[in-house]
Amino acid sequence: MRTLTRPGSKAYWVVLALTLIVFTAAFLLPLVWVLLGAFKPPAELAQQPPTILPRTWEPGAYVNAWNYMDLGRFFLNTFVVAIGAWAVQMAVIVPAAYALSKLRPWGGNVVMGLMLATLMLPSTAVLVPVYLTLTDLGLLDNPAGIWLPAAANALNVYLLKRFFDQIPEELLEAARIDGAGTWTTLVRIVLPISRPVLAVVSIFAVVAAWKDFIWPLLVFPDPAKQTLSVALQRFAPDTPINLLLAGLVLASLPMVALFLAFQRHILAGLTAGGVKG
């Protein structure tokens, strides 16, 4: 019996394959160019047409970049900022999302709507008032100047609330019958079964704080306390281009490693459709 195929099926797979190849190349080629560019001498980086593989390899560029720009100090600064921003944000958004989802306070839908409305505003719209507030509180050159604004993240509150909405009420009611209070239910029942979405919002929080540029630039006028993104920009005019590219690669490695380590959790959290009771 002859196998029948739908008209256009081959064309579909050809278009799909070409689309995947084009988008993969668009994302990977700049990364490959930066990674290999650090191994090239500055003269080769400036020549036209550009080369993909280095003609002259300089394998010590990464070590030289680390020492020349004192990246160890700025890695530590960025780590403190990112972990603190994550901790403060989770301490705020988890109870907020749980309250809006399960405690259902009066006006909760209005509050959630106002939170989501803030996503329509560009971050630059609130730049001046938040900066003036931090100045009045004396939080310049203080990591708390990054941590506190990072706590208000409407998108992560929404993601958590949507996940909490799908937790069966019967499960929480059984915990209340057993004598569990609100906080006990949250910590012992809700959070353990919410690990996928908690992993997603945690990675979002850490990555956002790690790569942020505007806020660290304003909050840390002291060069010794600046984060990697600000320090690399400050070094750019006087640093050989190959060392600057090496610094950019080194600055991105922790976030790439974080994504690769937790990619399954990220996909599980984003695609979680419900919780079975």
Side-chain angles (χ1 to χ4, degrees):
M1 183 177 180
R2 188 173 61 179
T3 303
L4 298 177
T5 59
R6 291 183 300 173
S9 60
K10 292 183 178 180
Y12 166 81
W13 289 111
V14 170
V15 172
L16 177 62
L18 290 176
T19 303
L20 291 176
I21 291 172
V22 170
F23 275 93
T24 301
F27 281 102
L28 291 183
L29 285 180
L31 299 178
V32 172
W33 186 87
V34 172
L35 181 64
L36 295 178
F39 292 105
K40 302 176 184 178
E44 184 176 346
L45 283 168
Q47 74 178 24
Q48 294 293 333
T51 59
I52 298 178
L53 292 176
R55 296 175 181 172
T56 303
W57 289 81
E58 293 191 355
Y62 287 93
V63 176
N64 294 337
W66 183 276
N67 296 328
Y68 180 82
M69 293 183 282
D70 193 17
L71 292 183
R73 176 202 299 269
F74 301 112
F75 263 99
L76 179 61
N77 293 345
T78 310
F79 181 80
V80 170
V81 167
I83 295 302
W86 165 79
V88 173
Q89 185 174 143
M90 297 301 289
V92 172
I93 67 174
V94 171
Y98 180 71
L100 291 171
S101 174
K102 296 303 180 183
L103 303 184
R104 296 186 177 89
W106 182 86
N109 291 333
V110 176
V111 172
M112 191 70 247
L114 292 175
M115 287 185 181
L116 294 178
T118 62
L119 296 176
M120 307 298 177
L121 295 174
S123 58
T124 53
V126 296
L127 194 66
V128 173
V130 175
Y131 176 75
L132 293 177
T133 302
L134 296 179
T135 303
D136 292 340
L137 294 175
L139 294 179
L140 295 185
D141 281 330
N142 190 327
I146 303 292
W147 300 343
L148 295 180
N153 191 305
L155 176 60
N156 285 347
V157 171
Y158 176 74
L159 292 176
L160 285 171
K161 180 184 180 299
R162 290 288 296 174
F163 191 92
F164 292 162
D165 287 343
Q166 299 169 43
I167 298 178
E169 291 291 342
E170 294 80 5
L171 186 62
L172 305 184
E173 187 62 30
R176 297 189 189 98
I177 293 174
D178 289 339
T182 301
W183 281 105
T184 303
T185 303
L186 172 62
V187 173
R188 296 191 176 182
I189 305 297
V190 175
L191 294 186
I193 62 179
S194 303
R195 282 176 293 184
V197 72
L198 289 175
V200 170
V201 297
S202 295
I203 292 174
F204 284 173
V206 172
V207 171
W210 188 276
K211 68 183 181 65
D212 194 14
F213 174 76
I214 294 295
W215 280 119
L217 177 65
L218 296 175
V219 173
F220 298 117
D222 184 358
K225 297 182 179 180
Q226 291 174 346
T227 59
L228 274 169
S229 59
V230 180
L232 289 171
Q233 185 272 340
R234 179 166 55 85
F235 279 111
D238 304 317
T239 302
I241 185 63
N242 61 331
L243 298 188
L244 184 62
L245 292 179
L248 292 172
V249 173
L250 292 173
S252 64
L253 285 180
M255 294 302 99
V256 173
L258 182 68
F259 175 79
L260 293 178
F262 293 98
Q263 59 178 326
R264 295 179 61 183
H265 298 279
I266 297 174
L267 295 176
L270 291 175
T271 58
V275 180
K276 295 182 178 180

